[in-house]
Amino acid sequence: MARVILRDGRVAELREAREDERDLAMIRDLFQRASPSSLYFRFFHMVREVSDDTIREMVRGRGPDGLSLVCVAGDRALGIGTYSPVDQTGAEAAFLVDDEVQGKGLGTLLLEHLAQCAWRHGFTRFEAYVLAENQKMLDVFRSSGYEVKRRLEFNQYHLVLPLGETERSRALQDARDKLATAASLHPFFRPKTVAVIGASRDVDSLGHLLLRNVIAANFRGIVYPVHPAAQAVAGVRAYPTVRDVPDTVDLAVIAVPAKEVLPVVDDCVAAGVRAVVILSSGFAEQSDEGRALQDEVVRRLRAGGCRLMGPNCLGLLTTDPEVLLNASFAPLPRRGGMAIASHSGGLGAAILAYAERAGIGVSSFVSLGNKADVSGNDVLQYWEDDPAADLVVLYLESFGNPRKFSRIARRVTRRKPVLVVKSARTPAGAMVSEARAAAAGASESAVEALFQQTGILRMDTLQELFDVAVLLTFSPLPSGRRVAIVTNSAGGAVLAVDALRREGLELVPPPLDLGFEALAEGYRLVLPQVLRDPGVDAVLVLYVPVGPGDEAGVARAITDAVRETDAAKPVLATFLTTDAPVIRTLDAGAQRVPVYPFPEQAVQALAKAVQYAEYRSREPGRIPDLERMDVDGARLRLRALQTDGPRWLARAEAEAVLAFGGMECGAGDAGAAELVLGVDVDPLFGPLLFARTVDPVAASWDRREVGPPKACVRLVPLTDADAYRMASTVWDGDAAAADGLADVLLRLSRLADEVPELQAVRALVGWDNPVWRMRDVRVMAAARPGMGADG
C-alpha cells in the first residue's frame, strides 16, 4: 500500500486489488459510475455493465500472472490499473479513472506504480492499445517519461514502452510528486481559516494556550474556536463542532484527548477540511491500541482527501507576514530564513529558543510528531521552492523512505544548505527512540553514505548545529580551505591551528600576533590587508581581553575592517571572555561576524561551511548510459536460476550474471593490486555498494584487510560523480585505473538498482591493465521486496 497525492493536493491510497467482496463491490461501483465514453475507451465497445466475472478476472493475478492496482479513498475506488502477461517479458496494461478525478494526475500515478510492480515481477515492457480519439490516455503515456513507441493500427494506437527507469522518467516523476506535495501542504502553511478544536476557557489548558498563540501572532485570516458548550473562548465566538463553522476551514488544529479524536476527525472530513494537525498524545508512541487508533485516524482522513500532521506533536508556525500563524505551544519567533522540522516536539521548542538567542530568524517550523502522514520528505519538498526558506534544519530520529529523501535532498542542497541532527546513532539511543515510536532501523554506514552523497551537513549536537547555522546564515561561503589567523594571544593561535589541522583546513602562515598593545588599532590596520589577500579564503580573529574597555573597540575595529573591504569572505571571531558561552554576531553591513566562545567551535563551523561550498562547486553528476549493459539479460538469467529461497550461485553462474553488466571476469595477474567490491540490500535503504582494500597477495575476497584499511559505502544508484569520488577514496593509483574502477562501480550500481533478483555481491577485483578483472565472485539470487512509497 502506498500513499499517493493527486495534482490538486488530495491524498488517497494505492494498493493491490483483492478478490474479496469489499474490493469487488468498490470496483463494481467504479464501473457503474463511469460515463459511457470512459467505459468505451476502456473496453473498446459500448458497455452497459461490467460483469462480476470480468472484475474477478482483473483482480485475480498476484504478480507473475497479472495484477490490478486500485486507488481508494475510504470506501470509494477512484481508479484501477491492470496488467496481464502477453509473453515471458511483456504485459498489456489498461486503466480506468473515475470521471470526477480525471485530469488530477491519477492515471499517471497508476501507470508509474503498476509499471514498478510489473518490473519487480520480471516484466520488462508494457504494451497498451489506446483508441486514437482517447487523447487523455495518450497524454498519460506520453508524459510518463518512459520511451513510448507507438504504431497506428486502424483506429487504435499500439503502444510499447520499456519499464526500466531513465533519467528523464525519474525527473518527471519527481517533478510531479513535488508539485502535488506542495499543493497538499498549502493549507498548512498558508491557511485563510483555522479552527482550533479543543479550545478551552480554562486559561491553564493547552487548548486555551493554543488559541491564545494563534490570536497573539496576529493571524491574518480568521480563527474559529470549537467548543461543545461555550459561546465564546478568549473573546472569540465559538462553535460546537467544525461542521457548524460558517466558512470552509482550511486548517483544523486538534487538541482533545486521544479517545475523543475519531468523532472530531469525522467532523473535519464532513466539513471538507483539507489539513489537520493533531497535537494530542496517546497514539502509536504509547501502545498497540494507540497505533490502531492512529491507523484509523489516517484511514478516515485519507478517505476525505485530507492530510495529517502529527499526532503527538507541538504544532506548526509560519512568520510569513501575509499569514503570521502560530498554531503551536511555542512563542512566535522573529522572521528570518531558517525552516525547521523536528521529530521531537520538545527538542523543536528548544531549537526555536536557541535560534532566538542566536539571533537567527525563522521562516517556518513544523513538529512532525509520529509522522503518520506528513513526513520530513514532504516538508523538505515544500521548502525546496519556498523563497522564504534560505536554510533548512532537520532533527531526525528515523527515516521513512530514505531513497526518496536522497533524491529530494540532492535537489534541495544545490540551492540551500540542509543541516541535520540525526539521533539514535547508538544502540542505547535507538532503544529510547523506539520507545517514542521513532525507531532508527538503519545502519550507521548507510546513514553516513546518504548524507555524504546528498550534500547534507550532519551535526552531532544541537550546539554544533547552531555554530554552523549562524555562519551559513550571516556569512558568505568560503571559496577554499585557506584560513588566516589574526590574534593577540599565541596560546589561542595554537588551539586554532591544531583545530584547523584536525578539520583538514589549511593555515595561511604565519598567524598574525598583534600582542597586547593598541589592540583595536592593530586589528583595524591588519584585517583589511588580510581580507584583500587573494591567497586567503577565510579569516579567524582571536581576541583575549586585556583591559575592560578593549572588547568594544576590538569589535568596532573588526566590523569597520569588513565594511571597508567588502570582501566576500567569511570572517569568524572568538572572544575568550568570561561571559556566558553563547554565539553572538557583530553587524558588519553586508555580513554579520559570528563570535564564538572558543576557537575550536569556530573552526568546526568553518569546516562544515567549506564542506558545503565544495559540494556546491562540484558537478552534480548524472546516471550515464553504459555500453555492454544488458539488465534484461541479467534478470532473465537470475530468474531462470532462482530457487524457492535466496542462495549463493556457483562461480560460473555468478560470472555469467556480472558479464551482463559488462564486467570482465577471470584470474588475470595474481600480483596486481586488489580491492573487494560488494552489494548488500539494507531493509530500509535498499541496495548499498561498498568497496574496501585487501591484502594484495590474498587469494580470496574474504582474506584479511591491509591496515589501516580504506573503505567506502554508497547508496545506489550512483552518479558518475559518486562513482569517481568512491574510486578515489579507496584507490591511490594512476588515473586510468581510477577511471576504470569508477566504470566498474557504475556497472555494479546499475545491476544492484535495476535487477531486483540480485540480493548480494562479493567480488575480489584486480587491476589488470587496462581493465579491472573480477577474480573471485559470489552472487546471491533472491526476490527482493519492493521498497515503500510513502514519504
Side-chain angles (χ1 to χ4, degrees), residues 651 655 658 666-667 677 699-702 762-765 773-778:
R651 179 167 179 168
E655 290 182 348
L658 295 186
L677 307 182
S700 178
W701 63 269
D702 55 356
R762 298 290 184 274
L764 183 70
V765 301
R773 196 174 298 279
M774 303 282 180
R775 293 183 179 149
D776 194 355
V777 177
R778 294 171 68 183

Side-chain angles (χ1 to χ4, degrees), residues 314 330 340-353 365-367 395:
L314 188 73
I340 305 167
S342 174
H343 285 179
S344 164
L347 281 175
I351 291 172
L352 285 171
F365 164 81
V366 170
S367 172
Y395 173 79

